[in-house]
Amino acid sequence: MTDSTAASQPSGGPELAQERRLTTAIPGPRSQEVAARRGAAVARGIGSTMPVFVERAGGGVVVDIDGNSLIDFGSGIAVVNVGNSAEAVVARVQEQVARFTHTCFMVTPYEVYVDVCEALNRLTPGDHEKRSALFNSAAEAVENAVKIARAYTGRQAVVAFDHGYHGRTNLTMALTAKNMPYKHSFGPFSPEVYRAPMSYPFRDGEVDGAAAAKRAIDLIEKQVGADNLACLVIEPIQGEGGFVVPAPGFLPALAEWCRRTGAVFVADEIQTGFCRTGDWFACDNEGVVPDLITTAKGIAGGLPLAAVTGRAEIMDAPHVGGLGGTYGGNPVACAAALGAIETMESLDLPARARSIGDTMTARLREMAERYDVIGEIRGRGAMIAVELVRPGTREPDAAIAGAVAKACHAEGLIVLTCGTYGNVLRFLPPLVMPDHLLEEGLTILDKAFAATA
Ligand SMILES: Cc1ncc(COP(=O)(O)O)c(C=O)c1O
């Protein structure tokens, strides 16, 4: 996509300039004022990466209430793949919100919910007969995938993976690997959740995915028992865990083992989905067809919506009335999803994600030659990260990741950290970001490394 293509998509308002602009120090005086009010009004458990408050956003920028225009390498944690306030999302939301805002699909259903389910059934991997169910948050979708798998198999055990992240509700905290900050002091957690070793080639040295899968399967067979396993839940590329890309062959081997043993293979594509990795879904890369797939984030251009999609016979296992929720598949969120999907299709955002990935990877490779704290560059499409280590070792260096991120923030570039060891810088620009902002963001990152590494 050229700059002019992105500019012709009036996101965040037609006149929102696609430029980095610093009018004050970060944070500016207005943001500091609101931060003081926030301290007295908002629970401290809810943290924020950036010290600024947002006024508007669109394309590749977020503008704060002091007038600073920041380059967005976070997309609100992989949500606004189509950009903030994308034109088709705004149009469909405005039309829907003026007609009706809520009736509850479980009381008086509406067509736009069915439209979204049809789109999900069409776009997700595999051409078998599918069904979908809609929810509010991603964690709720993961919880429901487990409910559905248990109802279908009549079994209880669930296996998740080292470094995995699946949410902050009680069951999803149990599935999530990392203690701090997600689980600490919040137990006890849901029972019948087990953890298997992930394929993490940079740290486990195993580049043969089938061998890494065998290691996980052996553990599951010995410690859980295949006959007890309802489902295996895995992110095809781990998000919060550090953009961990498993060795080729790992996911296909696990999916095949699930097929043989009758466990449901659940792909959590909440962070990887909707064009982010250069395919519609990350499973597409190796032709893996999950039994169930959970989606959210990129699905609706920023409105809260999540889904479980999968094989009709599995999805239809729970009894009538067993699934649902007051707001699940809210009509305004569904309208937004149709606008987001239309945008992804019309702008061919999988291709744009691949091109963003090529640009980022080339620039990061140059940086890795100059900054020996960069231990590995990994990811796929527009989901790219660098893992930072003490030079000459693989020892994680979270302090340097924090320092580089902070230096980027001060220069008006939003970047996020992640990883079990807190030493990964991750880059998730909106897929409609114009090239000049992508390049400028990478130059700021380069300078941040030069100043701190
Ligand atoms: C893979 C994955 N699953 C689940 C979740 C939970 O999402 P939510 O915060 O919307 O519940 C996330 C959020 O980052 C995620 O990345």
Side-chain angles (χ1 to χ4, degrees):
M1 187 201 296
T2 61
D3 292 1
S4 62
T5 315
S8 71
Q9 205 209 352
S11 40
E15 73 281 21
L16 188 62
Q18 292 298 296
E19 64 178 12
R20 179 178 70 110
R21 188 180 60 242
L22 294 185
T23 55
T24 68
I26 304 288
R30 279 283 295 126
S31 280
Q32 289 182 46
E33 262 172 55
V34 181
R37 286 172 42 216
R38 169 190 171 144
V42 179
R44 74 171 183 142
I46 300 171
S48 296
T49 302
M50 296 293 293
V52 300
F53 289 79
V54 177
E55 210 260 323
R56 62 196 306 185
V61 297
V62 173
V63 180
D64 76 12
I65 55 178
D66 289 289
N68 297 299
S69 178
L70 314 173
I71 299 175
D72 184 9
F73 273 14
S75 296
I77 320 186
V79 170
V80 286
N81 295 1
V82 295
N84 257 284
S85 306
E87 188 177 16
V89 172
V90 172
R92 286 191 185 251
V93 164
Q94 283 177 338
E95 191 270 336
Q96 178 60 48
V97 83
R99 280 197 298 120
F100 68 96
T101 48
H102 173 82
T103 61
C104 187
F105 192 75
M106 299 185 305
V107 179
T108 39
Y110 36 87
E111 189 172 355
V112 71
Y113 186 118
V114 180
D115 293 338
V116 172
C117 291
E118 286 173 349
L120 289 168
N121 297 348
R122 172 171 63 85
L123 293 166
T124 51
D127 50 15
H128 49 279
E129 193 179 342
K130 295 178 203 155
R131 304 277 186 271
S132 289
L134 305 182
F135 304 97
N136 301 296
S137 72
E140 198 187 349
V142 175
E143 293 239 1
N144 276 278
V146 171
K147 282 167 63 173
I148 293 164
R150 284 176 170 160
Y152 174 71
T153 57
R155 307 171 182 173
Q156 294 184 354
V158 180
V159 163
F161 285 79
D162 285 337
H163 313 287
Y165 181 88
H166 301 283
R168 297 171 182 263
T169 57
N170 190 265
L171 174 58
T172 58
M173 273 193 293
L175 296 170
T176 290
K178 191 173 173 178
N179 175 51
M180 207 51 175
Y182 309 121
K183 302 166 75 163
H184 182 73
S185 80
F186 299 142
F189 305 112
S190 180
E192 283 306 313
V193 172
Y194 302 86
R195 195 165 307 287
M198 178 65 181
S199 164
Y200 189 163
F202 181 67
R203 297 224 158 266
D204 65 20
E206 180 58 83
V207 293
D208 176 352
K214 184 172 180 318
R215 182 181 59 188
I217 289 164
D218 282 350
L219 183 142
I220 297 166
E221 286 179 340
K222 297 288 172 302
Q223 296 188 15
V224 184
D227 291 351
N228 298 316
L229 186 62
C231 61
L232 193 148
V233 183
I234 188 162
E235 300 156 84
I237 297 176
Q238 291 182 324
E240 307 301 301
F243 284 21
V244 178
V245 185
F250 183 69
L251 295 170
L254 291 177
E256 161 58 18
W257 178 79
C258 284
R259 227 179 331 276
R260 273 193 286 114
T261 58
V264 175
F265 182 86
V266 182
D268 179 345
E269 291 245 18
I270 281 154
Q271 191 152 158
T272 48
F274 293 104
C275 314
R276 175 54 60 189
T277 63
D279 288 296
W280 273 87
F281 296 95
C283 279
D284 293 330
N285 183 260
E286 286 190 276
V288 170
V289 177
D291 297 314
L292 299 181
I293 178 169
T294 55
T295 55
K297 290 193 184 274
I299 192 174
L303 272 83
L305 188 71
V308 184
T309 299
R311 296 186 189 283
E313 66 276 19
I314 301 177
M315 289 296 296
D316 282 340
H319 50 276
V320 175
L323 303 177
T326 306
Y327 291 117
N330 168 272
V332 182
C334 285
L338 294 183
I341 289 168
E342 180 187 312
T343 307
M344 292 178 230
E345 289 186 315
S346 67
L347 297 182
D348 190 6
L349 290 189
R352 176 62 183 155
R354 292 194 291 275
S355 138
I356 289 173
D358 290 345
T359 302
M360 289 200 289
T361 307
R363 291 284 303 271
L364 290 167
R365 283 204 185 113
E366 281 170 30
M367 290 182 220
E369 289 185 3
R370 282 177 284 122
Y371 310 118
D372 47 13
V373 292
I374 299 181
E376 188 180 46
I377 302 160
R378 59 172 179 258
R380 196 182 299 144
M383 181 173 182
I384 300 288
V386 287
E387 175 154 3
L388 306 187
V389 291
R390 301 234 153 77
T393 75
R394 298 210 166 182
E395 219 178 299
D397 193 339
I400 197 77
V404 173
K406 213 164 160 219
C408 290
H409 299 165
E411 286 302 314
L413 174 67
I414 302 172
V415 293
L416 308 173
T417 57
C418 65
T420 296
Y421 313 102
N423 65 328
V424 177
L425 284 170
R426 57 172 153 172
F427 313 114
L428 294 158
L431 305 181
V432 295
M433 173 172 283
D435 284 331
H436 72 274
L437 284 183
L438 184 64
E439 294 284 2
E440 191 178 351
L442 290 163
T443 300
I444 293 169
L445 177 70
D446 194 337
K447 288 184 179 156
F449 271 116
T452 43

